[in-house]
């Protein structure tokens, strides 16, 4: 079946396992080829089952029920007389949340709950580096252990369907492949510390508007190909120990009582062995929830006894509406997780560590690879401090902190280096740094919002500039040699529980940027945000644009290092930046946000799949990001030309650094099926690899694409199907960059 591609035959014969990494093309160093690491998790052990059954046999009904619902804001009851501990949980995606009261959201005011603030999801995904996702999981896992937590409510991996989504900053990406490639190593790293991941929010929770009740309608193929792959990989590859049921409904049923999603797909098809934990106050029934797959109800401060899986469950037992055997099923799952985490069973657990220099270093490592260089006309960047007399730093985002803010989980930390501090720390003392706030973060008065209430009122901003601040900013711009303007958004403006109403940069920032650019046309614009914004006019007028994120404790340090050239930027956009909101699929199809129901009318064409299929030019494409050096992908050759569906396509690609600085490039491989009998997106990401190439050298990388990755989900047969046909691949450094093409045939 397999046939060698002629050009590849010689290559393969000479050096299949040899890398070429040369400063002169004639020299070949025999160092190992760069391949991707693969990550897989350990399943929940079965060896404790007999012990667990015996424990269950000794438990009273009340003790069992106490394990199935929150008895504080973030824990459940244990059974001390039997040595069963509480199950302790913590948010979340940005690091270990501060301790709150047992029965309300009020901070506990402790002085030992400082934690490392890690880059938010969009920052991690912009690094396009699975090894950093693993590092993140490892590092935050150690922090969770140090705080005595069993479950971390992370990662948050819902697909970015609309750029307006309030949690875009927290989630990873619009692409299911990138999503799963980051999700799996994150979970593996985390769970290696004996902390369970709680992968959220399962599933089809892609908007905040009406999230408590909106009924999401997605066709089956789109569900399988776009919205579920990362959740599936979390179970089948990473062996996640828990999953969070989302607030909303899917096809008419709330997700915490959705038998199709929980029992049929999650447990039935994927073999999930862990526990399903509800989102906070996402449960709507007792018997139905339990029977349809929910294990644990968590929530907000109504008396814990009144939870659906508390007194009402005891009531249902007494009336015969639910059996004790059913309850035992759920208790057993929780006990298995407690044993898997070594919270029981006597084996030692890692002690962990928190808020340490090492962890700040981990946060820095992620942040420094996530910054995206969008534009760099005339090589304005990196800045040279040598001989620089003064620098003007303008914009409230130069000093804004984002570890806390908005509605939703943040981190209490003593270390959040702002962009201004980052520059001050890194610039030589002789450079005079002058700061002007430029714009004010101001909101129109809002009514008191209640937990869980979805309101867009945060989006009502005051968009006029303050004349005095403007004057001060323009004076700084006129009187300093180099100007950097820090603009964008923040975690009060982009927040859980509400979606944005438009893509506009708030607080009058566009006007500020335009006026400053008139005074100093070499002003570097840095946008700090977690989601796309309309920066079309800035792209036209500014010569240099850098994009950074809610980037953790060392975000300002990483940013300064990029601006000053200590770090060569290697971040790539994890989503498409549209020119106009109405170019985006959910908006072009007028299917966001719906009211009681939302139908995902764009189907498979989420993100770049829509822009590329419909030939719409984005402002910046998915996968885009520049470097201070230049790269050329010289060749990309598959090992064979013809494959069977169970094969793996191995591609060898060369990446030359043709510039004068060492740098990292993300090689991206997109595929399309020729003459498919089903409609397919114009192209889909099927492999990527980040590689460090020293200046003037060439590296060879090997990427592996299992042929099964080329399958589509056949709704009729309800299975994945690899079509026998030709597949055309493009290789480049963004979804719109094609440097090399190759094709293979599947028979
Ligand atoms: C969020 C979850 C979070 C939970 C507990 C909910 O509002 O949707 O992501 O883990 O609160 O804080």
């Amino acid at each position: 079946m397999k046939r060698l591609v002629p050009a590849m035959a010689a290559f393969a014969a000479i050096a299949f396992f040899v890398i070429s990494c040369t400063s002169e093309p004639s020299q070949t160093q025999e160092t190992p080829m760069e391949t991707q690491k693969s990550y897989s998790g350990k399943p929940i052990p079965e060896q404790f089952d007999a012990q667990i059954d015996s424990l269950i046999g000794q438990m009273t009904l009340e003790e069992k029920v106490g394990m199935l619902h929150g008895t504080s804001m973030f824990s459940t009851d244990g059974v001390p007389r039997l040595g069963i501990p509480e199950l302790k949980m913590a948010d979340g995606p940005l690091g270990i949340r501060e301790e709150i009261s047992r029965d309300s959201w009020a901070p506990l005011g402790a002085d030992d709950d400082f934690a490392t603030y890690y880059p938010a999801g969009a920052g991690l995904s912009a690094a396009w580096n699975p090894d950093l996702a693993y590092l993140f999981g490892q590092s935050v896992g150690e922090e969770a252990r140090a705080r005595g937590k069993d479950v971390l409510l992370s990662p948050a991996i819902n697909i970015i369907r609309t750029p307006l989504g309030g949690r875009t900053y927290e989630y990873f990406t619009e692409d299911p492949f990138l999503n799963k490639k980051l999700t799996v190593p994150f979970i593996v790293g985390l769970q290696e510390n004996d902390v369970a991941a709680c992968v959220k929010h399962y599933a089809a929770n892609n908007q905040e508007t009406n999230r408590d009740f909106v009924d999401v309608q997605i066709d089956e193929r789109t569900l399988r190909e776009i919205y579920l792959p990362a959740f599936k990989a979390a179970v089948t590859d990473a062996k996640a120990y828990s999953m969070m049921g989302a607030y909303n409904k899917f096809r008419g049923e709330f997700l915490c009582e959705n038998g199709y999603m929980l029992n049929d797909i999650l447990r039935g098809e994927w073999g999930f062995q862990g526990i399903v934990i509800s989102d906070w106050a996402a449960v709507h029934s007792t018997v139905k929830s339990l029977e349809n797959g929910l294990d644990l109800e968590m929530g907000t401060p109504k008396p814990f006894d009144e939870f659906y899986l508390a007194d009402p469950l005891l009531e249902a037992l007494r009336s015969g509406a639910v059996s004790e055997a059913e309850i035992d099923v759920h208790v057993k799952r929780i006990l298995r997780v407690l044993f898997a985490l070594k919270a029981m069973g006597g084996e030692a657990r890692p002690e962990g560590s928190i808020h340490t220099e090492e962890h700040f270093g981990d946060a820095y490592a992620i942040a420094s690879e996530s910054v995206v260089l969008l534009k760099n006309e005339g090589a304005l960047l990196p800045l040279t401090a040598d001989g620089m007399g003064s620098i003007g730093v303008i914009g409230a985002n130069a000093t804004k902190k984002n570890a806390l803010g908005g509605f939703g989980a943040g981190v209490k930390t003593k270390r959040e280096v702002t962009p201004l501090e980052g520059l001050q720390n890194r610039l030589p003392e002789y450079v005079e740094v002058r700061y002007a706030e430029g714009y004010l973060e101001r909101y129109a008065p809002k009514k008191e919002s209640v937990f869980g209430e979805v309101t867009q009122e945060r989006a009502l901003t005051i968009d006029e500039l303050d004349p005095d601040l403007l004057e001060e900013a323009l004076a700084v711009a006129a009187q300093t040699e180099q100007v950097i303007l820090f603009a964008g958004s923040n975690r009060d403006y982009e927040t859980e529980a509400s979606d944005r109403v438009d893509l506009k940069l708030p607080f009058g920032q566009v006007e500020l940027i335009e006026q400053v650019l008139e005074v100093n046309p070499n002003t570097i614009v840095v946008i700090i945000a977690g989601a796309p914004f309309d920066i079309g006019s800035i792209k036209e007028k500014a010569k240099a644009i850098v994009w950074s994120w809610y980037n953790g404790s060392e975000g300002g340090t990483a940013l300064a290092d990029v601006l000053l050239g200590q770090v060569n930027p290697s971040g790539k956009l994890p989503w498409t930046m549209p020119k106009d909101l109405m170019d985006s699929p959910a908006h072009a199809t007028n299917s966001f946000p719906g009211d009681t129901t939302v139908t995902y009318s764009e189907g498979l064409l989420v993100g770049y799949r829509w822009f590329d299929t419909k030939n719409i030019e984005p402002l910046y494409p998915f996968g885009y990001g520049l470097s201070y050096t230049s790269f050329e992908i010289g060749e990309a050759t598959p090992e064979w030309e013809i494959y069977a569906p169970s094969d793996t396509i191995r591609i060898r690609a060369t990446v030359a650094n043709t510039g004068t600085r060492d740098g990292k490039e993300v090689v991206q491989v997109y595929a399309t099926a020729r003459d498919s009998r089903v409609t397919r997106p114009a192209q889909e990401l099927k492999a990527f690899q980040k590689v460090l190439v020293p200046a003037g050298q060439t590296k060879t990388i090997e990427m592996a694409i299992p042929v099964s990755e080329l399958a589509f989900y056949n709704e009729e047969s309800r299975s994945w199907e690899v079509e026998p046909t030709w597949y055309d691949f493009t290789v480049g450094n963004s979804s719109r960059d094609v440097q090399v093409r190759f094709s293979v045939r599947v028979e």
Side-chain angles (χ1 to χ4, degrees), residues 178-249:
L178 178 60
N179 206 20
K180 75 176 173 188
K181 290 292 165 193
L182 299 174
T183 295
V184 170
F186 181 97
I187 296 170
V188 172
L190 175 66
Q191 294 194 165
E192 280 175 5
N193 288 285
D194 297 330
V195 175
C198 182
V199 188
K200 65 193 192 183
H201 308 84
Y202 183 72
N205 177 190
N206 311 93
Q207 65 186 52
E208 297 302 284
T209 311
N210 301 339
R211 69 172 179 177
D212 289 330
F213 56 84
V214 72
D215 183 12
V216 177
Q217 300 288 334
I218 311 179
D219 67 84
E220 191 68 20
R221 188 173 156 210
T222 300
L223 177 73
R224 302 295 185 140
E225 291 188 22
I226 304 290
Y227 293 96
L228 292 189
F231 287 104
K232 180 181 179 186
V235 174
T236 57
D237 299 355
K239 310 281 189 251
Y241 290 171
S242 78
M243 202 59 99
M244 186 185 287
Y247 281 121
N248 49 296
K249 289 181 182 166

Side-chain angles (χ1 to χ4, degrees), residues 74 91 97 105 153 167 170 200-201 211 244 247 279-280 407 409 451 496:
F74 283 94
D91 272 309
R97 187 181 192 155
W105 290 99
L153 307 175
R167 300 185 87 163
E170 211 180 344
K200 65 193 192 183
H201 308 84
R211 69 172 179 177
M244 186 185 287
Y247 281 121
D279 202 339
W280 268 233
F407 186 103
F451 176 79
E496 179 183 331

